[in-house]
C-alpha cells in the first residue's frame, strides 16, 4: 500500500513563506519596529523564533510588502567566544573574500563584487570587526541597497553566545551612527532570557533595540488554520494516489488543545498521527492514531527537554509548587486548574496556594505564562502530560490515563478523577 506523505514538519524552520502560518500580529510588530531600530525575538524552545525571523526577513525584502531591504542570517554557536569571532560569523554570512584578487563579493540577492585592498587586509589580519565596520559604511552600502532600504543583520541562536553578540552590536551600531549611517538593523533571536544576558553585559545596548518580541503559543485560530491546512494537504495527496482517507474533526480539535498552540508540539502531534495511520492504515484519522503520540513525545522526541526541566524544578525546589498549581497534590485547591486543555490556572487561587516568589520563578523560566488577568497557562502543555504519566508506577494505570485523556480531552471529570494524580 502507498504510504501517506507526512505534511507535518516538526524538525524544520518555516523558511519558505508557503510553510509559514499565523503570527500576523508579530509580523506587523516586527515591520513597525524595524522602522525605528533593531529587534530581539525571544521565547522558549520550539515556539517559532527562527521561523518568525526568517519570515520577517522575507517580508522586509518585499514578499507580500513594498519593502526592498536586504538581509543575511548568521547562526550563533558556543564556539563564538569574542567580539572578533562574532564579527567573522556575520561577515562570512554575506561577504566572500578573494585574497588573491583583493575583492569582496556580497552574497545578497543583488550580487556585487568590489575591489578593496583595505578590507581584505583587515580580514587576513584577523581584524574582522574592522572589516565589518568598513563594509557597513555608506560608500559600500550604496552599491547594494536601494533608496529607503535597510541592511538587516540577523543572528539566530543568539542564546549560544549572547555576550560576544552584545559587544558586536554595540560596536557596529555605534560605528555606523558616528558615520551617519541610519539604515543598518540587527534582528537577533534566541531562547529566553538571552536578551537579558546581553543587557547584563552592556546596559546601554537597550537604546539600539526598539522592541523585544516575546513569542508565546499560537492563538487557537492560527493553530487551527495550520492543522487544517496540513490535513487538507494530506487528504488531497492521498486522493491523488488513489487512497480514500477521511479525518475525524475531533482529532484536529484535540491536536490544537493538547499542543496549546505550541508550534513544535503541534507539528509533532500531527506527525505522529499521520505516521500511525501509515503503520496501521484504516482510512480514518481518528483518536486511535492520536493515542499513540502522547508517550513518544513525552519520553522520546522531547525526553531531554522534560528530563532537564523536571530536574531543574527539583533542584530549585519548585516541582511541588508546579504540581500543586496543576492540581496534582492532595492539598491543591479543587478549582485551581480547569480540567481541559490548554491549561488554565486560576491566578487568584494560585497566589493563595503558593508563594509569589515560586510563581514568579516559574514565569521567568518559561514554565508558566500569564494568560489575561485571571489565569496562568503552561508554555508547554506536554509538561503537564509528562508529570501525569510520571505519577504512575503501574503501566496499566498509565495506559488507562492515556486513553481517557484522549477520549475526554481533559483531566478531571467523572471518568478522570483527581485520584489519578496521586502517586
Amino acid at each position: 500500500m502507498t504510504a501517506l506523505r507526512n505534511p507535518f514538519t516538526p524538525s524544520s524552520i518555516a523558511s519558505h513563506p508557503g510553510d509559514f502560518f499565523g503570527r500576523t500580529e508579530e509580523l506587523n510588530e516586527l515591520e513597525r519596529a524595524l522602522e525605528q531600530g533593531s529587534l530581539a525575538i525571544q521565547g522558549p524552545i520550539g515556539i517559532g523564533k527562527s521561523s518568525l525571523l526568517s519570515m520577517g526577513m522575507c517580508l522586509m525584502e518585499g514578499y507580500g510588502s513594498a519593502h526592498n531591504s536586504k538581509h543575511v542570517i548568521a547562526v550563533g554557536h558556543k564556539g563564538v567566544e569574542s567580539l572578533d569571532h562574532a564579527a567573522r560569523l556575520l561577515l562570512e554570512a554575506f561577504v566572500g573574500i578573494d585574497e588573491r584578487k583583493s575583492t569582496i563579493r556580497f552574497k545578497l540577492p543583488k550580487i556585487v563584487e568590489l575591489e578593496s585592498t583595505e578590507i581584505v587586509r583587515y580580514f587576513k589580519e584577523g581584524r574582522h570587526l574592522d572589516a565589518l565596520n568598513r563594509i557597513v559604511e555608506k560608500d559600500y552600502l550604496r552599491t547594494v541597497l536601494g533608496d529607503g532600504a535597510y541592511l538587516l543583520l540577523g543572528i539566530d541562536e543568539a542564546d549560544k553566545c549572547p555576550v560576544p553578540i552584545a559587544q558586536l552590536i554595540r560596536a557596529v551600531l555605534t560605528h555606523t551612527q558616528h558615520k551617519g549611517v541610519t539604515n543598518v538593523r540587527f534582528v537577533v533571536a534566541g531562547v529566553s532570557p538571552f536578551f537579558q544576558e546581553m543587557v547584563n553585559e552592556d546596559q546601554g545596548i537597550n537604546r539600539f533595540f526598539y522592541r523585544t518580541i516575546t513569542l508565546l503559543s499560537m492563538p487557537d485560530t492560527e493553530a487551527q488554520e495550520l492543522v487544517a491546512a496540513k490535513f487538507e494537504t494530506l487528504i488531497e495527496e492521498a486522493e491523488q494516489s488513489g487512497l480514500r482517507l477521511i479525518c475525524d474533526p475531533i482529532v484536529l480539535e484535540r491536536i490544537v488543545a493538547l499542543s496549546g498552540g505550541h508550534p513544535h508540539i503541534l507539528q509533532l502531534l500531527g506527525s505522529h498521527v499521520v505516521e500511525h495511520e501509515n503503520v496501521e492504515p484504516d482510512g480514518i484519522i481518528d483518536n486511535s492514531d492520536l493515542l499513540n503520540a502522547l508517550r513518544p513525545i513525552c519520553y522520546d522526541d522531547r525526553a531531554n527537554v522534560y528530563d532537564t526541566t523536571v530536574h531543574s524544578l527539583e533542584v530549585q525546589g519548585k516541582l511541588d509548587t508546579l504540581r500543586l498549581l496543576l492540581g496534582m497534590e492532595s492539598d491543591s485547591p479543587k478549582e485551581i486548574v480547569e480540567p481541559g486543555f490548554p491549561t488554565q490556572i486560576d491566578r487568584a487561587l494560585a497566589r493563595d496556594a503558593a508563594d509569589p516568589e515560586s510563581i514568579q520563578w516559574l514565569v521567568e523560566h518559561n514554565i508558566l505564562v500569564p494568560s489575561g488577568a485571571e489565569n496562568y497557562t503552561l508554555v508547554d502543555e506536554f509538561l503537564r502530560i509528562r508529570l501525569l504519566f510520571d505519577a504512575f508506577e503501574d503501566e496499566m494505570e498509565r495506559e488507562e490515563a492515556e486513553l481517557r485523556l484522549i477520549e475526554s480531552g481533559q483531566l478531571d471529570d467523572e471518568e478522570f478523577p483527581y485520584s489519578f494524580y496521586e502517586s
Side-chain angles (χ1 to χ4, degrees):
M1 181 175 178
T2 304
L4 300 169
R5 187 189 70 84
N6 199 327
F8 290 91
T9 54
S11 301
S12 300
I13 295 170
S15 56
H16 187 278
D19 299 326
F20 190 88
F21 289 84
R23 300 300 191 192
T24 303
E25 181 178 340
E26 291 85 351
L27 283 170
N28 290 338
E29 191 175 357
L30 178 148
E31 187 177 14
R32 293 192 304 269
L34 288 176
E35 296 285 343
Q36 304 297 325
S38 292
L39 176 78
I41 302 169
Q42 65 179 1
I45 296 170
I47 204 68
K49 302 176 296 297
S50 298
S51 294
L52 179 64
L53 171 62
S54 182
M55 185 60 198
M57 294 301 202
C58 289
L59 175 72
M60 296 304 295
E61 284 204 344
Y63 183 85
S65 75
H67 298 292
N68 63 341
S69 298
K70 300 293 184 290
H71 85 273
V72 295
I73 298 178
V75 180
H77 55 82
K78 291 185 178 180
V80 178
E81 298 178 340
S82 70
L83 170 56
D84 258 319
H85 285 169
R88 177 163 185 157
L89 181 78
L90 202 50
L91 271 175
E92 291 178 340
F94 78 110
V95 175
I97 304 289
D98 189 326
E99 296 183 12
R100 183 178 58 84
K101 295 168 60 179
S102 292
T103 59
I104 60 173
R105 181 182 177 88
F106 289 93
K107 304 175 186 177
L108 297 168
K110 180 180 179 181
I111 301 297
V112 178
E113 186 171 277
L114 299 173
E115 184 175 345
S116 177
T117 303
E118 179 187 28
I119 291 176
V120 173
R121 175 169 54 83
Y122 287 156
F123 192 85
K124 289 170 64 176
E125 293 174 355
R127 297 166 59 186
H128 302 113
L129 176 61
D130 290 335
L132 180 60
N133 276 338
R134 185 69 183 90
I135 286 170
V136 295
E137 291 179 8
K138 281 183 179 179
D139 49 346
Y140 285 100
L141 290 186
R142 192 179 299 119
T143 64
V144 296
L145 296 180
D147 293 336
Y150 297 103
L151 175 63
L152 304 176
L153 303 177
I155 304 177
D156 201 4
E157 305 286 347
D159 54 289
K160 303 295 191 299
C161 47
V163 171
I165 289 174
Q167 296 168 346
L168 175 69
I169 293 171
R170 159 69 80 173
V172 171
L173 293 184
T174 299
H175 176 81
T176 56
Q177 290 181 12
H178 276 305
K179 294 291 184 178
V181 177
T182 60
N183 58 342
V184 175
R185 301 282 191 269
F186 278 87
V187 185
V188 291
V191 176
S192 307
F194 89 91
F195 189 71
Q196 186 58 50
E197 294 179 45
M198 290 174 57
V199 172
N200 291 343
E201 167 64 19
D202 181 355
Q203 293 189 356
I205 202 172
N206 256 324
R207 74 178 182 87
F208 297 114
F209 283 82
Y210 187 73
R211 187 65 53 85
T212 298
I213 296 176
T214 301
L215 276 189
L216 303 174
S217 295
M218 299 172 71
D220 281 354
T221 53
E222 295 183 353
Q224 289 163 2
E225 177 189 355
L226 190 161
V227 176
K230 297 288 185 180
F231 276 111
E232 286 174 9
T233 298
L234 180 73
I235 292 170
E236 289 173 3
E237 293 186 354
E239 290 177 350
Q240 292 169 7
S241 300
L243 303 175
R244 184 177 183 276
L245 183 69
I246 61 175
C247 181
D248 185 345
I250 195 66
V251 174
L252 278 67
E253 296 176 16
R254 290 281 193 270
I255 289 174
V256 172
L258 290 170
S259 70
H262 188 293
H264 177 64
I265 297 173
L266 188 153
Q267 295 267 12
L268 268 178
L269 270 170
S271 179
H272 277 286
V273 166
V274 175
E275 287 308 307
H276 186 262
E277 177 62 21
N278 271 327
V279 173
E280 298 184 17
D282 61 2
I284 304 174
I285 300 290
D286 56 16
N287 275 343
S288 67
D289 298 304
L290 183 56
L291 179 64
N292 290 271
L294 301 188
R295 275 191 278 177
I297 291 174
C298 289
Y299 294 103
D300 294 322
D301 298 312
R302 290 178 64 82
N304 289 338
V305 173
Y306 300 131
D307 289 345
T308 300
T309 300
V310 171
H311 177 71
S312 177
L313 287 165
E314 288 176 332
V315 169
Q316 298 296 326
K318 310 301 181 188
L319 182 58
D320 288 344
T321 298
L322 181 60
R323 286 173 56 85
L324 179 74
L325 298 179
L326 292 175
M328 295 184 177
E329 299 289 346
S330 58
D331 56 345
S332 297
K334 183 165 178 57
E335 304 300 330
I336 194 169
V337 61
E338 294 183 10
F341 284 81
T343 300
Q344 296 291 330
I345 300 169
D346 186 285
R347 291 175 70 170
L349 292 177
R351 289 192 294 269
D352 291 339
D355 66 278
E357 291 79 9
S358 293
I359 295 174
Q360 184 61 28
W361 188 94
L362 293 170
V363 171
E364 291 174 352
H365 288 78
N366 298 313
I367 306 296
L368 297 180
V369 62
S371 176
E374 297 181 353
N375 295 306
Y376 293 109
T377 190
L378 282 167
V379 170
D380 183 343
E381 292 293 331
F382 263 73
L383 178 60
R384 185 181 179 190
I385 298 172
R386 168 64 186 264
L387 291 175
L388 171 68
F389 288 166
D390 284 351
F392 298 116
E393 295 182 2
D394 183 86
E395 181 65 17
M396 291 185 65
E397 284 188 338
R398 183 180 294 181
E399 289 179 357
E400 185 180 357
E402 189 174 17
L403 179 61
R404 292 185 182 180
L405 174 57
I406 289 297
E407 290 181 342
S408 68
Q410 60 185 38
L411 293 175
D412 177 38
D413 59 15
E414 292 181 357
E415 296 184 357
F416 212 136
Y418 273 87
S419 61
F420 266 55
Y421 289 132
E422 297 176 7
S423 302

